[in-house]
């Protein structure tokens, strides 16, 4: 890699794939947000991993009481969506002699590449972009992932 990739882009070094989270001279720090791990790698050993704008939708059907606040629902859904947290919660409830039902609802996930002509940045900004060509975010300066070609 000749020039350092911008934060927000994805790169691979050895078997590690992560977001570019820091650039320091000829060192990159890659961060894998799913595994919550980081790794510092030499710039020369890193390869850019192409990324596209993708909409990920999580869905879950829950029995909810009227008035349960948004923050509680979000935290519960986050627990259900993360298999590690779900398993820990189920174990903790079992150890406490509680019904484990709160850890049972299944979360569906749908991921669709976006073909609407807009790049997506981690900061939430969108910018017009050509399919397949990453752009610099005009709001934060990170790299924004481009859309894919519209179908057909
Ligand atoms: Zn941005």
């Amino acid at each position: 890699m000749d020039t350092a990739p911008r934060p927000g882009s994805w790169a691979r070094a050895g078997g590690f794939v992560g977001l570019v989270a820091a650039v320091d001279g000829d060192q990159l720090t890659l961060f894998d947000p799913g595994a919550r791990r980081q790794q510092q790698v030499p710039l020369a050993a890193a390869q850019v991993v192409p990324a596209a704008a993708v909409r990920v939708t999580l869905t879950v059907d829950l029995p909810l009481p009227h008035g349960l606040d948004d923050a509680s629902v979000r935290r519960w859904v986050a627990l259900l969506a993360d298999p590690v947290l779900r398993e820990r919660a189920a174990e903790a409830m079992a150890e406490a002699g509680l019904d484990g039902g709160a850890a049972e609802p299944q979360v569906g996930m749908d991921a669709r590449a976006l073909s609407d002509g807009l790049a997506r940045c981690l900061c939430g900004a969108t910018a017009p972009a050509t399919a397949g060509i990453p752009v610099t975010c005009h709001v934060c300066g990170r790299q924004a992932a481009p859309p894919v070609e519209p179908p057909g």
Side-chain angles (χ1 to χ4, degrees):
M1 198 179 281
D2 296 333
T3 57
R6 278 190 298 274
S9 57
W10 287 84
R12 170 196 322 274
F16 193 88
V17 176
L19 282 164
V20 173
V23 180
D24 183 15
D26 60 357
Q27 294 287 309
L28 289 181
T29 302
L30 303 180
F31 179 68
D32 175 344
R36 299 171 182 87
R37 290 189 320 133
Q38 62 176 316
Q39 187 165 316
Q40 200 169 46
V41 301
L43 178 60
Q47 296 173 292
V48 168
V49 176
V54 176
R55 175 162 296 145
V56 177
T57 307
L58 299 178
T59 53
V60 58
D61 294 339
L62 297 172
L64 286 184
H66 182 73
L68 189 63
D69 71 78
D70 226 49
S72 283
V73 175
R74 284 175 178 271
R75 293 194 69 196
W76 187 12
V77 171
L79 180 152
L80 294 170
D82 182 331
V84 174
L85 293 180
R86 174 201 292 271
E87 189 176 318
R88 284 187 193 149
E91 286 170 5
M93 288 185 288
E95 282 172 21
L98 303 175
D99 174 51
E104 285 186 15
Q106 296 298 307
V107 177
M109 187 175 99
D110 182 58
R112 288 176 198 270
L114 296 168
S115 59
D116 57 2
L118 295 173
R120 261 65 176 192
C121 180
L122 289 170
C123 77
T126 60
T130 303
I133 301 176
V135 298
T136 301
C137 177
H138 59 95
V139 175
C140 70
R142 291 186 187 100
Q143 183 159 304
V148 297
E149 290 285 352

